Amino acid sequence: MEKLQIHFRPYQEAPVPRRIDVLDGIRVLCVLLVGWFHIWQQSWLSPSFTIGSQHISLDFLLRSGYIWVDGLLLLSGFLLYLPYAQAQSRPPKILPFYKKRLIRILPSYLLCILPLYALALINGSYPTFKDSVKDLLAHVTFTHTLFPFSYNSTPLNGALWTLGIEMQFYFLFPFLARAFKKFPLLTYLGMAGMALGFRHFASAQPDTSMYFNQLPAFLDVYANGFLAASAFSALRKKLGNGCWDRQVKLFFSVMLILCAVQLVNFARGQAGENGYESIRLGQMERRFSMSVTLSCAMICAACAGSGVRFLLGNKVMQYLSSISFQFYIYHQLFAVQLKKWGFPPSEHASPWMNGDYNWQLSYTLACFIGAIVLATLITYLFELPIARRLRRNVDAK
């Protein structure tokens, strides 16, 4: 996932943004909801609480947590295109972009899949050695989403399918960004039309499992990221010179609340889908409108008042955002492994099925805390040092 590396001064001081701090919080919320969904699949803990006589259940947020992967891809499109939206001259060069993406993704990706591949060989997880080589090659070329054996049946961390989509998109991005910069309407319609057409084709298939999460099915999400970056850049230029008053901030704060309500409605609707095919069809049906709503929420959050800035752009959110890439990679692996180890202990053989609330709660907290600690260690002891060294080597050439 694209990390927030675009910095800008306080809004009232700069008409051209350099950092959008509230996007830290939006990224964290998306990642944590995805993570909570995967942990809920193991714990079966559905939190609820009572306010007065009103009973409120958050079960729908957990059951639909996977939809927020779309939000992470939308953020990626937004942040990648923002420099193009702000550029007054020539767009960024293509080759340096590819180098930066590889430096950002590849070391952490290999750190995950190579040990898992070795363990899979030791444990006999593949029918034959040839099958293992095919799976490894599909993963190291980031084409693993294209084959059932490396998408549906791989022992190499199923959550990594999103990195396959991202790397495939990175390959196309410089060309799509240049086309969008020069012919925005035509490019947007082309990307959105291709996505809608592909999803229409996918929906007509008897089994949608190999179609609904392919790159063409996300092109409108990325296109909405491009459009949101362009709209935000234009809005900042228009309102950045002394026009950023309380009424404007209040308007965007109210609009953010309305967007949040609609996003909750999307989650409720998706949680109501029954059966794997209905779930996938519902996700494809809501993908465009959800990405539009989340695009509006991102812009509104960036233009809202100080309260929103505090909630979404505080130091805790910045820290969690900085480790979100590693958290996303490892949280599901960590949760499954804890369960295999029988931690925390329970008097029941299957405490999640027996409704052992103390175990469910302890397990859920252990998963989140452990995954955050692991993500912190890998981020600051491996990801960032390796990235700095590789960038120095590239810059020296």
Side-chain angles (χ1 to χ4, degrees):
M1 307 305 136
E2 184 63 23
K3 194 171 277 189
L4 304 183
Q5 297 176 337
I6 302 169
H7 306 279
F8 67 89
R9 299 182 297 274
Y11 291 160
Q12 60 268 31
E13 297 178 11
V16 179
R18 297 179 59 199
R19 177 176 174 79
I20 311 174
D21 52 4
V22 294
L23 296 190
D24 284 316
I26 292 177
R27 173 186 299 283
V28 168
L29 291 176
C30 289
V31 170
L32 290 182
L33 284 169
V34 174
W36 204 358
F37 165 71
H38 289 141
I39 293 169
W40 167 80
Q41 287 182 309
Q42 305 299 323
S43 71
W44 295 9
L45 174 65
S46 295
S48 61
F49 54 93
T50 301
I51 300 178
S53 60
Q54 185 71 29
H55 181 75
I56 300 174
S57 173
L58 300 181
D59 182 72
F60 73 96
L61 283 178
L62 305 189
R63 292 183 181 276
S64 63
Y66 50 85
I67 65 176
W68 302 103
V69 170
D70 291 22
L72 296 172
L73 300 182
L74 176 73
L75 266 173
S76 180
F78 179 95
L79 292 168
L80 287 172
Y81 189 73
L82 191 58
Y84 288 79
Q86 296 172 350
Q88 300 298 320
S89 56
R90 299 179 63 181
K93 295 181 180 179
I94 294 177
L95 187 58
F97 170 79
Y98 287 149
K99 290 179 178 178
K100 289 179 180 178
R101 293 301 92 204
L102 286 174
I103 290 172
R104 170 77 177 92
I105 299 295
L106 194 57
S108 295
Y109 183 73
L110 294 178
L111 179 68
C112 180
I113 65 171
L114 292 181
L116 289 177
Y117 178 71
L119 285 174
L121 290 178
I122 294 171
N123 295 332
S125 302
Y126 292 104
T128 67
F129 180 72
K130 181 180 178 181
D131 291 321
S132 76
V133 173
K134 288 167 57 179
D135 192 21
L136 181 63
L137 288 176
H139 276 81
V140 297
T141 57
F142 295 98
T143 59
H144 51 285
T145 62
L146 303 178
F147 310 104
F149 64 83
S150 54
Y151 176 60
N152 291 328
S153 306
T154 181
L156 305 182
N157 191 353
L160 296 179
W161 70 266
T162 52
L163 292 185
I165 297 299
E166 279 279 73
M167 290 298 285
Q168 293 165 29
F169 177 71
Y170 290 159
F171 179 75
L172 298 177
F173 170 75
F175 309 102
L176 291 174
R178 281 164 169 75
F180 194 92
K181 181 73 173 178
K182 193 170 184 179
F183 308 106
L185 179 59
L186 183 62
T187 306
Y188 180 86
L189 292 176
M191 293 174 68
M194 185 175 295
L196 294 173
F198 183 85
R199 292 203 296 269
H200 178 75
F201 162 78
S203 298
Q205 305 307 306
D207 181 1
T208 59
S209 60
M210 283 301 299
Y211 297 96
F212 78 113
N213 276 341
Q214 296 296 338
L215 176 60
F218 289 105
L219 285 177
D220 56 340
V221 176
Y222 285 115
N224 283 328
F226 289 7
L227 185 62
S230 300
F232 176 74
S233 181
L235 184 64
R236 291 301 311 186
K237 290 176 182 177
K238 183 176 181 62
L239 298 178
N241 295 316
C243 299
W244 214 242
D245 55 25
R246 290 183 178 180
Q247 287 75 20
V248 172
K249 292 180 180 180
L250 178 61
F251 169 78
F252 283 110
S253 298
V254 172
M255 292 301 297
L256 175 62
I257 293 173
L258 295 177
C259 289
V261 169
Q262 183 57 43
L263 289 171
V264 168
N265 289 335
F266 283 130
R268 288 188 184 277
Q270 185 62 31
E273 301 291 352
N274 187 23
Y276 289 121
E277 280 301 318
S278 294
I279 287 172
R280 292 191 284 261
L281 291 171
Q283 190 174 0
M284 287 192 288
E285 181 182 346
R286 293 177 176 88
R287 183 164 284 164
F288 177 80
S289 52
M290 179 180 163
S291 66
V292 170
T293 306
L294 188 53
S295 295
C296 294
M298 288 161 47
I299 295 173
C300 291
C303 301
S306 58
V308 173
R309 293 281 301 275
F310 173 76
L311 289 174
L312 296 177
N314 59 66
K315 295 295 184 181
V316 174
M317 289 298 188
Q318 291 176 25
Y319 157 69
L320 291 175
S321 180
S322 72
I323 66 167
S324 62
F325 180 41
Q326 301 300 337
F327 178 89
Y328 184 86
I329 290 177
Y330 289 100
H331 74 274
Q332 190 175 28
L333 287 175
F334 186 81
V336 171
Q337 193 58 52
L338 275 188
K339 199 172 180 180
K340 288 181 178 178
W341 287 337
F343 183 87
S346 171
E347 62 182 10
H348 303 285
S350 303
W352 56 96
M353 296 181 66
N354 292 96
D356 185 344
Y357 177 78
N358 289 332
W359 179 89
Q360 291 175 309
L361 181 60
S362 300
Y363 172 79
T364 299
L365 292 175
C367 287
F368 274 109
I369 293 171
I372 288 173
V373 171
L374 180 61
T376 300
L377 293 174
I378 297 176
T379 298
Y380 289 100
L381 298 181
F382 178 81
E383 178 192 341
L384 296 181
I386 290 292
R388 284 193 294 266
R389 176 172 294 184
L390 291 175
R391 281 196 295 266
R392 284 198 300 268
N393 292 339
V394 169
D395 293 340
K397 293 181 179 180

